[in-house]
């Protein structure tokens, strides 16, 4: 029960990494609010966690609206009487060349991937100052550390998440608040599966993507969820302002 006594929320928790993390934390004793814009998927995810014996609820949250994040934190504190972890995980992708990126597209991906993390950090810190500290984990990316010419806006937002993580972790350590991020490589999430399907040959697309990795395969969200659990738990009590790369060795390669 590595997450026993942990109370908090996960954004983007209706599917993918957010769902796997919520399920894992709940199985390890945490009380978890699943926040997502997907009402049907989020309700189903929370019900599955409760059916397995976990303590979880769902709240529809559009993270691009600051008040929604504030309300989600208030809901956690009202329901369970505490707040000591937050996983800022919600994100989106924009696969458009830089010269074709519109202002609207740039603003949308920044609002979800970066501004929402800023709000999650801001209001998470305010709450944790009142409740005795805690752990905030942000979902960054392997692209927080390198660039992707096909994902310029996404790359920029994930570099920003890494910068916020480092600054906030250093700023609030004396308040008993640790801030870290996970930097996953490609994972078998609904977003990636949708991309494979769009190619017309999803199996081959999966093989082609995995070919870049030393193990010739991409990761599963539960493998990243294990790292989030570690960062939320007291096992990582001296880990702060760090970027935990979970990419199967992708960034170790030159070619």
């Amino acid at each position: 029960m590595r997450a026993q006594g942990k109370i908090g929320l996960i954004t983007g928790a209706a599917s993918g990494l957010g769902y796997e993390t919520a399920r894992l934390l709940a199985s390890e004793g945490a009380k978890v609010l699943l926040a997502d814009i997907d009402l049907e998927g989020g309700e189903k995810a929370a019900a599955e966690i409760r059916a397995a014996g976990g303590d979880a609820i769902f709240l529809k949250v559009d993270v691009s609206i600051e008040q929604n994040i504030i309300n989600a934190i208030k809901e956690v504190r009202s329901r369970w009487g505490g707040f000591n972890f937050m996983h800022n995980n919600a994100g989106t992708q924009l696969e458009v060349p830089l010269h074709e990126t519109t202002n609207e597209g740039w603003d949308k991906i920044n609002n979800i991937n970066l501004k929402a993390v800023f709000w999650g950090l801001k209001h998470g810190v305010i709450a944790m100052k009142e409740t005795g500290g805690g752990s905030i984990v942000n979902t960054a990316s392997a692209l927080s550390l390198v660039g992707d010419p096909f994902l310029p806006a996404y790359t920029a937002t994930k570099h920003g998440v890494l910068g916020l993580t480092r600054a906030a972790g250093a700023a609030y350590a004396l308040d008993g608040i640790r801030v870290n991020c996970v930097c996953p490589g490609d994972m078998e999430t609904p977003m990636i599966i949708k991309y494979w399907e769009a190619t017309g040959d999803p199996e081959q697309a999966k093989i082609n993507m995995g070919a870049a990795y030393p193990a010739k395969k991409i990761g599963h969200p539960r493998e990243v969820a294990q790292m989030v659990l570690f960062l939320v738990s007291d096992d990582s009590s001296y880990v702060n302002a760090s970027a935990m790369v979970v990419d199967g060795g992708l960034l170790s390669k030159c070619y």
Side-chain angles (χ1 to χ4, degrees), residues 8 22 26-27 29-34 46 49-50 52-57 79-80:
S27 73
K31 302 179 188 301
V32 187
L33 183 145
L34 285 71
I49 291 171
R50 290 194 298 270
D55 194 348
I57 59 171
R79 184 177 183 87
W80 290 304

Side-chain angles (χ1 to χ4, degrees), residues 9 61 65-76 86 119 122-123:
L9 71 88
V61 173
I65 300 172
E66 182 179 12
Q67 189 61 47
N68 287 354
I69 295 174
I70 295 171
N71 292 343
I73 294 172
K74 287 181 178 178
E75 180 65 24
V76 172
M86 182 165 189
W119 286 330
K122 176 181 178 179
H123 297 293

Side-chain angles (χ1 to χ4, degrees), residues 79-98:
R79 184 177 183 87
W80 290 304
F83 187 77
N84 53 28
F85 83 85
M86 182 165 189
H87 184 194
N88 293 304
N89 170 69
T92 189
Q93 202 171 79
L94 182 65
E95 193 170 351
V96 180
L98 181 64

Side-chain angles (χ1 to χ4, degrees), residues 33-178:
L33 183 145
L34 285 71
D36 203 291
I37 198 169
D38 179 2
L39 176 60
E40 182 178 353
E43 291 282 13
K44 180 181 177 183
E48 289 174 352
I49 291 171
R50 290 194 298 270
D55 194 348
I57 59 171
F58 171 74
L59 183 67
K60 185 175 181 179
V61 173
D62 179 351
V63 297
S64 67
I65 300 172
E66 182 179 12
Q67 189 61 47
N68 287 354
I69 295 174
I70 295 171
N71 292 343
I73 294 172
K74 287 181 178 178
E75 180 65 24
V76 172
R77 297 183 66 180
S78 173
R79 184 177 183 87
W80 290 304
F83 187 77
N84 53 28
F85 83 85
M86 182 165 189
H87 184 194
N88 293 304
N89 170 69
T92 189
Q93 202 171 79
L94 182 65
E95 193 170 351
V96 180
L98 181 64
H99 69 283
E100 295 179 6
T101 301
T102 64
N103 290 342
E104 292 76 17
W106 175 267
D107 288 342
K108 180 179 179 180
I109 195 170
N110 271 273
N111 285 343
I112 296 171
N113 287 12
L114 187 55
K115 187 181 284 187
V117 174
F118 157 64
W119 286 330
L121 282 167
K122 176 181 178 179
H123 297 293
V125 162
I126 290 171
M128 288 178 187
K129 277 175 167 282
E130 297 174 353
T131 57
S135 173
I136 300 176
V137 182
N138 303 318
T139 296
S141 171
L143 294 184
S144 297
L145 302 164
V146 295
D148 187 327
F150 302 106
L151 298 171
Y154 180 85
T155 298
T157 62
K158 292 303 183 178
H159 272 64
V161 170
L162 175 57
L164 276 174
T165 298
R166 287 172 168 164
Y172 300 105
L174 287 177
D175 295 295
I177 301 170
R178 297 183 295 109

Side-chain angles (χ1 to χ4, degrees), residues 191-235:
M191 184 168 64
I192 294 295
I193 292 171
K194 184 177 180 181
Y195 165 75
W196 293 338
E197 292 172 345
T199 68
D201 188 349
E203 286 302 317
Q204 188 59 48
K206 181 177 180 179
I207 292 170
N208 292 345
M209 185 175 285
Y213 289 77
K216 304 306 177 188
K217 64 177 183 179
I218 68 169
H220 190 277
R222 62 176 168 264
E223 295 171 301
V224 185
Q226 290 285 353
M227 181 60 76
V228 179
L229 170 61
F230 168 69
L231 293 172
V232 167
S233 78
D234 296 336
D235 291 341

